[in-house]
Amino acid sequence: MEISPINLIPLWFVCLLAFYVACTLGANDVANSMGTSVGSKAITLRQAIIIAGVLEFLGAVLFGGRVSETLATGVVKPEEFIRSPQLFQLGMIAVLVSTGLWLQIATRKGLPVASSHAVVGAISGFSAVAVGWTAVAWKTVGLISLAWLITPLISAAIAASLYSLIKYWILEHPHPQQQILEWTPWLSCAMIAVFGTLVVPEISQPLAHLIKSQWGVNFPTHDLTIAIAGLTVVGLTWFSWQPTFRSGDSKSSIERQLAQFQVFSACFVAFAHGSNDVGNTVAPLAIIVYIRQTASVPLGEFHIPLWVLVIGGAGIATGLAVWGQKVISTVGENIITLAPSAGFSAELATATTVLIASNLGIPVSTSHALVGGVVGVGLVQGWKSIKFGTVGKIALAWLITVPTAAFLAAIGFLLLRYFMG
């Protein structure tokens, strides 16, 4: 069944719709990167919005392609739409509309829902209505769902382990000032190891090529990666040591110094979030663009155009700047009371979990990872410190997101097909 009138919708309008969905994603998921830093008073809300906006955009543009490709052709079986690419295109417009609508509702309620849930649910919902249950790649959906379940557990375990080390070896030590001097290089290594292992190699390869083309020096990529990471660790350690030489030996002064690490870890979460969650916006748009250019559905190799990633990254940054304050409050202040040491542990755990998933092309939930990390820290502090009422509301929002998005996408698809068929 061909629905040629769909092409009467201008591409700029579809791009604008995708930009709006990215805005709602940014508004809701800003808490995933900066909520704990604002909650612990390490940075202000204004600073959080500026920092997150820049890094979310960079993460989306530089590393958003892999997850976007998984969502574009992994959740649904494109071969089921070979004879009706316009039907597939219509469905992706329904996915954008339903995802944006649900994220807007959740943001107004201050609930950090999982945008990946919304997109996977929406794609599954429209595909089942358009072709049948066989159009949904249930094995892929099952693996993604399993990743959603495992994500908070992994993040909680990492956060609890890291916070336990900081608590035992620094905060509760008789001489915390001396301890933080000794531990600063190791904390710096931990952060750079997470970020550097997955991101720096991607930077080193074009840099090595540039060095060879400009100066004729054949610099091995792995050596360049080690050099960049090593220099970064040294610089971060030296920067973090400075307040240590000037502050006292109290717990509050130690927390102020750890606030620096929390800001850096928040930056990594923002970058990781942009790299993973941008796919929730740009995957449907990329499919629409592909169909309009080739009059066929994408099969096999499918690459996301850079300008599509730019639209997604810009939308995320805009949304978090305009609407993100409510969700920041929920994650940063309403689960547990966070000190910088606790916020740093939760954020580094989140960044580790999400960056690994992005590198594997798995669309995990950043909100799952961060809430899991915060709860993991809370368990170390004592389970009574956790506000389980807030956690319960968030978990309920996660559970209803997939069926709600699937229903909205199915209804939206049927309405679009009726009026444009």
Side-chain angles (χ1 to χ4, degrees), residues 113-188:
V113 298
S115 55
S116 56
H117 286 201
V119 173
V120 171
I123 293 176
S124 301
F126 106 79
S127 301
V129 169
V131 176
W133 293 104
T134 57
V136 182
W138 292 111
K139 182 177 180 181
T140 302
V141 172
L143 290 173
I144 294 172
S145 301
L146 181 62
W148 290 340
L149 293 174
I150 294 175
T151 294
L153 300 179
I154 294 176
S155 185
I158 296 172
S161 301
L162 180 59
Y163 183 69
S164 296
L165 288 173
I166 293 173
K167 188 170 179 282
Y168 180 80
W169 289 104
I170 300 177
L171 299 178
E172 296 180 349
H173 196 274
H175 304 289
Q177 197 69 26
Q178 180 62 35
Q179 287 299 105
I180 199 169
L181 277 171
E182 295 179 5
W183 275 87
T184 292
W186 296 108
L187 294 176
S188 300

Side-chain angles (χ1 to χ4, degrees), residues 320-391:
L320 69 85
V322 177
W323 297 312
Q325 185 171 357
K326 263 194 173 183
V327 181
I328 282 182
S329 176
T330 298
V331 172
E333 300 171 1
N334 294 337
I335 297 179
I336 64 171
T337 301
L338 288 168
S341 55
F344 163 64
S345 301
E347 286 171 349
L348 187 59
T350 302
T352 303
T353 306
V354 176
L355 277 172
I356 291 173
S358 294
N359 199 51
L360 295 174
I362 302 172
V364 298
S365 168
T366 313
S367 58
H368 279 204
L370 187 63
V371 171
V374 172
V375 171
V377 169
L379 291 174
V380 175
Q381 292 180 344
W383 65 268
K384 290 183 179 180
S385 66
I386 303 172
K387 299 173 185 175
F388 285 103
T390 301
V391 176

Side-chain angles (χ1 to χ4, degrees), residues 19-236:
F19 180 81
Y20 162 72
V21 176
C23 285
T24 61
L25 189 155
N28 193 277
D29 286 2
V30 63
N32 299 327
S33 55
M34 291 292 167
T36 52
S37 292
V38 174
S40 69
K41 305 299 187 291
I43 54 176
T44 66
L45 178 63
R46 183 186 295 270
Q47 290 170 333
I49 287 172
I50 294 172
I51 294 170
V54 173
L55 291 170
E56 294 262 2
F57 178 81
L58 290 175
V61 172
L62 297 177
F63 288 90
R66 291 177 184 172
V67 173
S68 301
E69 290 160 17
T70 298
L71 286 170
T73 57
V75 176
V76 64
K77 297 176 182 176
E79 59 271 17
E80 296 285 342
F81 293 88
I82 289 178
R83 295 182 179 179
S84 53
Q86 300 298 340
L87 200 65
F88 198 34
Q89 182 182 181
L90 192 69
M92 287 301 165
I93 294 178
V95 168
L96 288 174
V97 172
S98 60
T99 301
L101 179 61
W102 175 241
L103 290 176
Q104 183 79 62
I105 293 170
T107 301
R108 288 182 65 87
K109 298 292 184 181
L111 293 173
V113 298
S115 55
S116 56
H117 286 201
V119 173
V120 171
I123 293 176
S124 301
F126 106 79
S127 301
V129 169
V131 176
W133 293 104
T134 57
V136 182
W138 292 111
K139 182 177 180 181
T140 302
V141 172
L143 290 173
I144 294 172
S145 301
L146 181 62
W148 290 340
L149 293 174
I150 294 175
T151 294
L153 300 179
I154 294 176
S155 185
I158 296 172
S161 301
L162 180 59
Y163 183 69
S164 296
L165 288 173
I166 293 173
K167 188 170 179 282
Y168 180 80
W169 289 104
I170 300 177
L171 299 178
E172 296 180 349
H173 196 274
H175 304 289
Q177 197 69 26
Q178 180 62 35
Q179 287 299 105
I180 199 169
L181 277 171
E182 295 179 5
W183 275 87
T184 292
W186 296 108
L187 294 176
S188 300
C189 282
M191 284 201 297
I192 301 306
V194 171
F195 194 71
T197 301
L198 299 171
V199 177
V200 175
E202 301 287 342
I203 300 171
S204 300
Q205 190 170 1
L207 185 58
H209 179 73
L210 179 64
I211 292 173
K212 184 176 181 180
S213 62
Q214 293 293 323
W215 295 287
V217 179
N218 190 10
F219 212 126
T221 303
H222 60 275
D223 288 348
L224 193 58
T225 300
I226 294 172
I228 293 173
L231 289 173
T232 306
V233 168
V234 171
L236 180 58

Side-chain angles (χ1 to χ4, degrees), residues 176-177 243-254 256-257:
Q177 197 69 26
T244 310
F245 299 130
R246 300 190 297 269
S247 60
D249 206 30
S250 65
K251 186 174 178 179
S252 61
S253 68
I254 300 300
R256 284 196 298 272
Q257 294 166 66

